[in-house]
Amino acid sequence: MAADSLRTWRFRTTGVVLEVHDLPLACCAVETTSAFASRPDLFEEVTVPIANAIRVLLVSGTVTDRLLPAVMEAARGLGPDVKVVSFGSCANTGGPYWDSYSVTKGIDQFLPVARYVPGCAPPPEALVSALLDLVGQSS
Amino acid sequence: MTRLSDVVLQSVSGELGPDAAVVVAAEDWLAALSSVKRAGAIFFDFLTGVDSGTEFIQLVAHVATPEGTERLTLVTQLTSSVVDSATGIYPGANWHERETAEMFGVVFAGHPRLDPLLLGVDFVGHPLRKDFALAARATRPWPGLASDAEAAPLRSGGRRRVPPAGVPATWEVPNAD
């Protein structure tokens, strides 16, 4: 999965611009998509890279061992400074699939995670809070 | 109209099990599938395995007439880990047999390409078998308890710790205390 094939959103808040690459793997996608759609004041979809933006890889949903290489490729494609946001219990720890033979037990075993968003699923507002927190602002 | 189950019972020895499943001997597996297909069950729905704790796996296949007016479940208890592939009768069995092979360790002789379908090529074991150890359960307690207080009574009293389901009794299970 190439990073440029992910839907990408510009998240603009006071003085800071984030380039958020959405990597939704399961039902958490309903919540992240809702966040993008419900806050047009913050999110705008973009198709070209944003100059001087902080790049964010938003991993949400269940990461399986078979899919892990694609997630890693997406992260590599965004460069060494990419901030990973792990959204939801599955991406955080494996969640309800904590004992599964096929589920990766937390993306942080393979990628440094900048912000964890707990919940199964977290509400859309939790994504906004996490992104604001990432840039040192409160929601 | 002859029922599909009657067709099987006339062509091979078998018995009508619960839920209109016909149970046939392992050596009659392909003959049974072949006879119901000739009788009109040209729609192959699925094939999978069942591990009931017996030495070898059970196979289950479900077929139907294209109109859906008749459906039939065929069951067989294998007597070895090898069985002839049904792909010569139902090409649609191809992926189902690949999945049953990787998940249950059944070898389908004559299958055109018995590679893993869902698991990686380096995956060790057959995860839907009862004897497949779920490593996560052996290394940490079930995380679903609401609080430590709820978990505490389970650990007290000096009772022998019973390994969770999916963990062999011979494995050492660390105490969560």
Side-chain angles (χ1 to χ4, degrees), chain B residues 11-37:
Chain B
S11 59
V12 302
S13 62
E15 58 179 285
L16 201 56
D19 303 323
V22 173
V23 184
V24 301
E27 59 266 29
D28 291 334
W29 182 241
L30 289 197
L33 286 167
S34 189
S35 61
V36 291
K37 190 184 180 191

Side-chain angles (χ1 to χ4, degrees), chain A residues 66 98-99 101, chain B residues 118-119 137 142:
Chain A
R66 287 303 302 275
W98 70 282
D99 58 355
Y101 59 87
Chain B
L118 300 169
L119 301 172
R137 292 190 187 181
W142 185 58

Side-chain angles (χ1 to χ4, degrees), chain B residues 93-144:
Chain B
N94 188 315
W95 283 16
H96 297 249
E97 289 186 346
R98 284 174 65 183
E99 187 176 349
T100 305
E102 67 188 338
M103 294 295 170
F104 293 96
V106 176
V107 177
F108 292 90
H111 190 286
R113 181 190 160 187
L114 206 58
D115 298 343
L117 180 68
L118 300 169
L119 301 172
V121 289
D122 53 350
F123 192 95
V124 177
H126 305 291
L128 293 192
R129 293 177 68 111
K130 298 288 191 211
D131 60 8
F132 181 85
L134 295 170
R137 292 190 187 181
T139 53
R140 57 184 291 206
W142 185 58

